[in-house]
Amino acid sequence: MRTSRLAGLAAIALLGGTLLPSASPALAETTVLYVNNLVPERCTDTGVGAVDQPFCTIGAAVARVGPGQTVTVDGGPYAERFSVPVSGTAERPITILAGVSATNGFVRLTGPTAGAVVHHQSHVTIKGFRIVGTMEAPAVDIEDSDGIVLDDVGVSATGASTHPAFRLSGVTGVTVRGAIGVGTRLATGLFLDAASSGVTITKATFSNSDADAGAGVGIDVEAADTRILASTVAGFRGTAIAVRPGAIDTVIANNQINRGYGDGIQIRGAIGTAVSNNLVQDRCGNGVRVDGTSDRISVQNNVVIRNGGPNNTGLCASSSTDGVEIGVYAESRGKTVVDYNNTGKSTGYAWDRPMTLEEFQAASGQGAHDSYDSSEWGRVDSANSAAPGFPATDVLGRSRGDDPSRANTGTGPVPWADRGTHESLPAPVVLAALTQEPGTGWVTADASATRAGFTPVVSYRFDFGDGTVVTQPGPVARHQYGSHGTFRVTVTATLADTMTAARAYSVSFLPSAGTIGLLSLAHNHYLGVGNAAHQSPVLVADRTSLAPADAFDLVNVGTNQVALLAHRTGAYVSPDLLAVDVLSAGSSSVGPNETFTVTRYTDGSFSLKASNGRYVSVYNPGDALRTSTYAVTYAERFHRVNLADANRTLRTATVKRFVTADTAASKPLIASSSVLDKNQRFDFVDLGDGKVALFAHANNRFVFAPNAGALPLINASGLVSPWGTFTLVRNTNGTVSLKATVNNRYVSAGLGSSPLTADRTSIGSGERFVLS
């Protein structure tokens, strides 16, 4: 097994270019095994999976993986079905993920048996795969395993198949997040057997076209303690979501079930199933059907409309059917609670036979608060928040909001919660943004986004929390704080009808320990805030040079812990937990979510670990930064460049010519130019302990001294190496000199006619440069 490049890591704080004392031990070594079939001249399945000599196949890498290791897969497609042969641990999971050069961020597996298999293992994460084929076996097959995470794994079935896209058998504690299972003739999206328990399926999408897919099911559950949340299921001639006999304590909440032949949700012989706040529409069968010996079933807060045919024009048969919006049959009668639902047709219920709501209420004693009003207005402030499985937030992650113009007809601890998947957030709602001018104490509170009620806002009151209160008609106010700290800012909007709404915010004005740029080690791009694909304030790594607006103020908030204040937005960086941990610079104050633990490595790079225990990472230029991994690879490491050390030039003190880098890196550095363009500009990367690396603007590569300093300096390295590390010496006459770490020799420009070479044992005129 190869030795990781991350060996010898020292946990230190990245503040002011100095190393703060560390109270924590060194971070354990992390090994990355690389796979890339697009470099056939370099890849080999008999090697160790180094970045410069990767494995050719995923199977070869997975056969070598162990606890705490990551398999990073680039290139593709791969005609493979790989199987994970060992377990990770909770502290050291095994991770198999798409690498920085995977197309659209995903690795494609192709062929009739393509897929991923985990049998009898624990703590394995598989992320960023797309499996395409005719499915002669389940594309994702997890059996007798626990602690497995499937993240952004998709399956596209290209032909008829009797196998589910995802098969989970005898599993516990499994998370399926962002799964996709699609295909015109896909039989079953996900199957979860009776030997499984504790599985969460969230933000998944399963669909087929029904017509030729047999009696397939979107999500088929036989297990205990299953949670199906915020997912979308469409099609399937059988059922969109089926809960089978023996299934116990299933929660189905915030899901959208669309057009298809079979039932929307079918519960047959299950125990303890909670169906809450779903949208079920346009099914030819029943919207929700409870039958068999089901017991302790709750069907509440759902919007169930246009189900039961033949009103679903173009799909269901024209002849009448006995399908209804909500039906309870056989022995499930008397063991099922139906209430607080909105349905869409007059004969939309069944108590062993189709009937109207009024007949259903009389026959069953259920549905007392059900309504035919399926409009958005009819769903507002009318749910039972005490219902089993009730989700505290809607499908978008938004908190429940009370419409002051509506009477609360719901019940439970939040009687203003809405039915269905989406919460209607009525006005007035105060929405303010607090931004600051780094280092000045000036803060701007902008409440322009405040949503008025039925009358306009006539005044705004800003209480800045330090004794300053401003009341004015306009929504924008500025204030300067005279001391450091975190302050509570309260914004109150008053409407013409005297109704008021207020919201409190926090703003942190803290001393800066340096203004820096962050350079991604994975692909040598600077971090910035926003671009055409990712609007502000999302963090992306797509800048080829460091502009002042893309700098961050580094704030020391504890031992080995920092916060980052983005100059572009005047706000702090934090993971957006509602957007799959995407990093954004939109927080006005510093709390645990804005605090990152810094670990610095022997090459001078560092990683940032968020409060959720995951590292900040970015794989491809232009991607949004995320906190989605527990392992450190190149994608989780960054270099520090002080803003004052960016965009610098080196001019020889003797012949007064600028050091020039070649755009193609076919020629070494030479002090030959009397004019300035990007080829004469360098960023000095702070490696700590007075060490620097030179990042050339000419081609966004690092300068190094080949052959341990025996050859002239050239800007051709994709990363900082020992041959590219220098000590920056500041001479008494104001000039600087560079001393190569690899041979302890000084860089010399001679008289400017020769390439720069690290070959001098002392500093003379040819070794002095003017840094400007």
Side-chain angles (χ1 to χ4, degrees):
M1 186 175 295
R2 77 183 182 94
T3 301
S4 169
R5 285 187 168 184
L6 306 185
L9 311 184
I12 61 177
L14 180 70
L15 296 172
T18 62
L19 309 184
L20 295 179
S22 174
S24 59
L27 187 68
E29 179 182 69
T30 301
T31 299
V32 181
L33 308 181
Y34 293 91
V35 181
N36 194 338
N37 63 358
L38 295 185
V39 287
E41 71 282 0
R42 289 193 288 114
C43 72
T44 175
D45 281 348
T46 60
V48 295
V51 65
D52 55 353
Q53 192 177 53
F55 291 110
C56 299
T57 63
I58 302 171
V62 170
R64 298 284 296 274
V65 76
Q69 294 184 310
T70 297
V71 174
T72 298
V73 185
D74 289 293
Y78 293 83
E80 290 192 55
R81 182 178 184 83
F82 67 84
S83 179
V84 181
V86 294
S87 292
T89 66
E91 297 76 19
R92 303 182 68 210
I94 290 171
T95 303
I96 304 168
L97 52 77
V100 297
S101 66
T103 303
N104 297 323
F106 298 102
V107 173
R108 293 184 68 210
L109 305 180
T110 61
T113 60
V117 178
V118 182
H119 287 184
H120 315 294
Q121 310 302 340
S122 301
H123 301 292
V124 176
T125 294
I126 300 175
K127 178 177 181 177
F129 285 81
R130 290 291 181 264
I131 304 165
V132 182
T134 54
M135 282 184 53
E136 293 181 5
V140 179
D141 195 1
I142 314 297
E143 182 176 302
D144 294 336
S145 299
D146 67 275
I148 309 301
V149 176
L150 302 175
D151 193 351
D152 286 340
V153 176
V155 177
S156 178
T158 58
S161 174
T162 59
H163 300 285
F166 293 77
R167 186 184 80 96
L168 280 64
S169 175
V171 303
T172 58
V174 169
T175 298
V176 181
R177 180 171 51 242
I180 299 173
V182 298
T184 57
R185 302 179 69 187
L186 176 67
T188 298
L190 184 147
F191 172 71
L192 182 58
D193 79 349
S196 299
S197 64
V199 173
T200 297
I201 304 162
T202 181
K203 297 183 179 179
T205 301
F206 297 101
S207 68
N208 75 2
S209 63
D210 315 301
D212 302 307
V217 174
I219 301 176
D220 200 347
V221 177
E222 297 177 354
D225 192 23
T226 302
R227 293 166 57 84
I228 305 172
L229 310 174
S231 296
T232 300
V233 184
F236 296 100
R237 183 171 286 275
T239 302
I241 299 178
V243 185
R244 304 292 191 180
I248 301 173
D249 295 337
T250 304
V251 174
I252 304 171
N254 272 344
N255 301 285
Q256 181 165 323
I257 299 173
N258 296 327
R259 183 174 184 267
Y261 279 103
D263 293 339
I265 299 172
Q266 184 189 64
I267 303 163
R268 172 163 294 172
I271 299 173
T273 302
V275 181
S276 181
N277 292 87
N278 301 282
L279 171 61
V280 186
Q281 60 187 358
D282 300 325
R283 305 294 298 186
C284 295
N286 299 273
V288 178
R289 179 185 178 100
V290 184
D291 58 23
T293 57
S294 297
D295 191 8
R296 290 194 295 111
I297 309 302
S298 171
V299 181
Q300 301 192 60
N301 306 324
N302 303 284
V303 176
V304 190
I305 54 175
R306 300 190 302 272
N307 300 287
N311 55 334
N312 192 347
T313 304
L315 181 65
C316 304
S318 59
S319 60
S320 61
T321 73
D322 61 356
V324 296
E325 309 282 27
I326 299 173
V328 183
Y329 302 87
E331 297 177 44
S332 297
R333 293 180 302 159
K335 300 176 182 178
T336 299
V337 174
V338 177
D339 210 356
Y340 294 91
N341 303 287
N342 284 18
T343 59
K345 66 179 185 179
S346 59
T347 55
Y349 290 80
W351 190 254
D352 257 356
R353 65 174 180 82
M355 57 182 62
T356 66
L357 172 58
E358 293 75 15
E359 291 171 331
F360 178 77
Q361 291 169 334
S364 67
Q366 298 293 324
H369 302 90
D370 278 24
S371 171
Y372 288 141
D373 185 357
S374 59
S375 68
E376 182 176 353
W377 184 250
R379 308 172 192 179
V380 173
D381 293 0
S382 60
N384 177 13
S385 59
F390 171 76
T393 61
D394 73 357
V395 68
L396 301 178
R398 299 178 301 180
S399 299
R400 303 295 175 180
D402 187 5
D403 187 338
S405 67
R406 291 292 304 274
N408 296 330
T409 58
T411 189
V414 188
W416 57 83
D418 293 355
R419 305 181 187 187
T421 55
H422 290 74
E423 184 78 7
S424 176
L425 296 177
V429 176
V430 171
L431 297 173
L434 272 64
T435 59
Q436 61 179 283
E437 300 169 19
T440 68
W442 279 103
V443 170
T444 299
D446 186 345
S448 301
T450 294
R451 294 201 296 262
F454 296 104
T455 60
V457 179
V458 294
S459 69
Y460 295 87
R461 183 180 186 271
F462 300 88
D463 184 340
F464 286 98
D466 64 348
T468 301
V469 178
V470 177
T471 301
Q472 61 185 42
V476 180
R478 294 183 75 238
H479 173 65
Q480 187 176 31
Y481 288 99
S483 60
H484 293 117
T486 295
F487 304 90
R488 181 182 177 88
V489 179
T490 303
V491 183
T492 303
T494 300
L495 307 184
D497 60 5
T498 72
M499 184 180 293
T500 63
R503 179 168 293 185
Y505 300 84
S506 294
V507 62
S508 296
F509 170 46
L510 302 172
S512 172
T515 301
I516 68 169
L518 297 175
L519 184 65
S520 170
L521 195 67
H523 43 70
N524 293 337
H525 283 74
Y526 281 102
L527 273 60
V529 179
N531 61 18
H534 302 282
Q535 297 301 314
S536 178
V538 172
L539 264 65
V540 292
D542 65 346
R543 275 65 163 173
T544 57
S545 61
L546 177 59
D550 292 321
F552 300 84
D553 269 13
L554 195 65
V555 177
N556 179 12
V557 294
T559 303
N560 298 329
Q561 291 187 316
V562 300
L564 296 170
L565 177 66
H567 280 221
R568 186 171 294 275
T569 62
Y572 293 95
V573 173
S574 62
D576 185 350
L577 301 181
L578 300 183
V580 201
D581 299 326
V582 170
L583 256 66
S584 61
S587 179
S588 60
S589 63
V590 175
N593 208 38
E594 291 74 35
T595 299
F596 300 88
T597 300
V598 179
T599 302
R600 195 160 187 170
Y601 308 112
T602 54
D603 65 351
S605 66
F606 62 93
S607 60
L608 297 169
K609 184 164 68 172
S611 59
N612 61 7
R614 298 172 182 172
Y615 290 93
V616 175
S617 63
V618 60
Y619 295 99
N620 301 302
D623 282 355
L625 272 74
R626 300 177 183 270
T627 56
S628 57
T629 179
Y630 293 101
V632 176
T633 68
Y634 286 112
E636 287 71 45
R637 292 165 57 186
F638 304 90
H639 281 301
R640 165 184 176 153
V641 177
N642 298 314
L643 182 61
D645 294 333
N647 202 33
R648 306 304 297 271
T649 62
L650 288 168
R651 180 169 53 85
T652 54
T654 52
V655 297
K656 299 186 178 359
R657 297 282 177 154
F658 292 101
V659 173
T660 301
D662 183 50
T663 303
S666 60
K667 301 175 184 178
L669 271 64
I670 187 168
S672 61
S673 179
S674 58
V675 297
L676 286 176
D677 60 26
K678 72 173 185 176
N679 291 358
Q680 287 76 43
R681 299 192 182 277
F682 301 86
D683 295 339
F684 283 69
V685 178
D686 185 353
L687 304 180
D689 290 331
K691 298 290 193 303
V692 298
L694 273 66
F695 186 62
H697 284 211
N699 62 351
N700 284 69
R701 291 291 185 269
F702 290 96
V703 173
F704 73 106
N707 199 17
L711 297 177
L713 274 62
I714 190 167
N715 53 304
S717 179
L719 47 81
V720 174
S721 69
W723 291 1
T725 302
F726 304 88
T727 299
L728 184 65
V729 179
R730 300 188 182 275
N731 302 312
T732 56
N733 65 352
T735 63
V736 299
S737 299
L738 293 170
K739 187 177 184 181
T741 302
V742 68
N743 62 3
N744 286 322
R745 300 292 179 96
Y746 293 95
V747 174
S748 176
L751 296 178
S753 59
S754 300
L756 271 66
T757 307
D759 61 354
R760 302 301 171 92
T761 58
S762 60
I763 298 175
S765 59
E767 291 72 54
R768 299 179 189 273
F769 300 89
V770 177
L771 182 62
S772 59

